[in-house]
Amino acid sequence: MDDAVARKGLVLVGCGKMGGAMLSGWLKGGLPASSVWVKDPYPADWLKDAGVHLNEDFPQAPAVAIVAVKPQMMGEALPQVAALGGGETLVISVAAGTPISKFEEVFGAGTPIVRAMPNTPAAVGRGITAIIGNATTTPTHMALAEDLLSAVGQVVALERESQMDAVTAVSGSGPAYVFHLIETLAAAGENVGLSPELSLKLARATVGGAGVLAEEADETPGQLRTNVTSPNGTTQAALEVLMHQTTGFPALLDRAVKAAADRSKELARDE
């Protein structure tokens, strides 16, 4: 963890599931609790014993301020930290659908601002976060943002902010697609004779295990699929249904991801 963060302090606005996951990662990574100021109107019980400064006045120029509130709470949260604008504090937003321009209106264009899109597996340290900075951010700012956000998983840098809608559609919303796959796979198992409990256990373990294998194997997902598909076997019979160009996964996921990306653009315009 960057020494400047420990020395100058970190302000976390909003400590729900995502903010709490990040804070837990920072504390486990060695950031002193005494260097953290948390602003949250409804703090979880564990925060009261974590040793952080909870709903206290924060430093005038902390190293970082992270805004981790829901988009609908932004109007209430941002005025509380607007005084941190000006350049001395790096502002990081993990609020979905809120563009950098919104933060520049509040903090000023001279404030280094990083917009980030994490996803819910961050709760178990297996998330992936995409980041993009405004014109004021330096490589040092981006490195600091990556260091902080890597506490909950992988971090990737985008080339332009417009890519954030696609990131939202693929990885931000993506866990819900996988959870629905587990639901439907379990239901299909019941339809061919398994008990609900056994079918759900098989579906969870199969999707979870396949995900780890896909992430850690040297082969591409396509090659891994080929590896488990015997000619004229059971897997091929299933894949002929799933890979159908008009009724299978390719067309279905194209439509689903496009719908999510389009909605992300709409939400940004509504800001």
Side-chain angles (χ1 to χ4, degrees), residues 145-228:
E146 181 172 350
D147 183 37
L148 288 168
L149 293 165
S150 65
V152 292
Q154 301 177 55
V155 180
V156 295
L158 302 182
E159 296 175 356
R160 55 191 182 278
E161 189 179 8
S162 60
Q163 294 175 307
M164 198 62 83
D165 297 314
V167 169
T168 299
V170 173
S171 63
S173 299
Y177 315 156
V178 178
F179 300 148
H180 186 51
L181 171 61
I182 295 171
E183 286 181 301
T184 54
L185 183 57
E190 289 183 53
N191 291 338
V192 293
L194 296 175
S195 70
E197 295 78 15
L198 177 57
S199 191
L200 180 57
K201 185 172 184 176
L202 289 170
R204 277 176 164 163
T206 298
V207 173
V212 173
L213 180 59
E215 191 170 34
E216 296 184 355
D218 292 331
E219 296 98 329
T220 65
Q223 184 58 53
L224 292 172
R225 170 180 51 77
T226 299
N227 293 348
V228 298

Side-chain angles (χ1 to χ4, degrees), residues 1-263:
M1 189 63 64
D2 191 288
D3 288 342
V5 177
R7 187 176 68 255
K8 299 177 65 178
L10 178 151
V11 174
L12 176 62
V13 183
C15 198
K17 290 182 179 179
M18 189 61 67
M22 291 190 295
L23 177 57
S24 294
W26 301 328
L27 296 178
K28 289 177 183 176
L31 180 65
S34 59
S35 298
V36 178
W37 280 257
V38 175
K39 286 283 188 180
D40 193 297
Y42 308 105
D45 289 340
W46 70 271
L47 276 175
K48 300 169 186 177
D49 300 318
V52 301
H53 302 274
L54 184 57
N55 292 325
E56 299 177 10
D57 292 338
F58 46 78
Q60 289 187 346
V64 185
I66 298 184
V67 182
V69 300
K70 295 183 182 299
Q72 59 267 31
M73 300 298 294
M74 199 67 68
E76 179 182 341
L78 288 186
Q80 300 180 48
V81 289
L84 298 180
E88 292 189 62
T89 299
L90 170 65
V91 176
I92 301 175
S93 162
V94 296
T98 305
I100 288 174
S101 59
K102 175 66 175 179
F103 286 86
E104 289 181 333
E105 290 176 8
V106 175
F107 293 99
T111 302
I113 298 168
V114 172
R115 181 181 174 187
M117 170 54 67
N119 61 4
T120 54
V124 292
R126 296 298 300 270
I128 185 163
T129 303
I131 61 174
I132 184 74
N134 70 348
T136 305
T137 55
T138 65
T140 299
H141 292 132
M142 296 301 288
L144 176 55
E146 181 172 350
D147 183 37
L148 288 168
L149 293 165
S150 65
V152 292
Q154 301 177 55
V155 180
V156 295
L158 302 182
E159 296 175 356
R160 55 191 182 278
E161 189 179 8
S162 60
Q163 294 175 307
M164 198 62 83
D165 297 314
V167 169
T168 299
V170 173
S171 63
S173 299
Y177 315 156
V178 178
F179 300 148
H180 186 51
L181 171 61
I182 295 171
E183 286 181 301
T184 54
L185 183 57
E190 289 183 53
N191 291 338
V192 293
L194 296 175
S195 70
E197 295 78 15
L198 177 57
S199 191
L200 180 57
K201 185 172 184 176
L202 289 170
R204 277 176 164 163
T206 298
V207 173
V212 173
L213 180 59
E215 191 170 34
E216 296 184 355
D218 292 331
E219 296 98 329
T220 65
Q223 184 58 53
L224 292 172
R225 170 180 51 77
T226 299
N227 293 348
V228 298
T229 307
S230 301
N232 299 315
T234 59
T235 306
Q236 181 175 326
L239 288 175
E240 286 175 356
V241 176
L242 294 175
M243 296 177 70
H244 193 280
Q245 287 302 307
T246 56
T247 61
F249 273 175
L252 186 63
L253 281 176
D254 271 349
R255 296 201 306 273
V257 170
K258 185 178 185 304
D262 288 347
R263 182 56 180 149

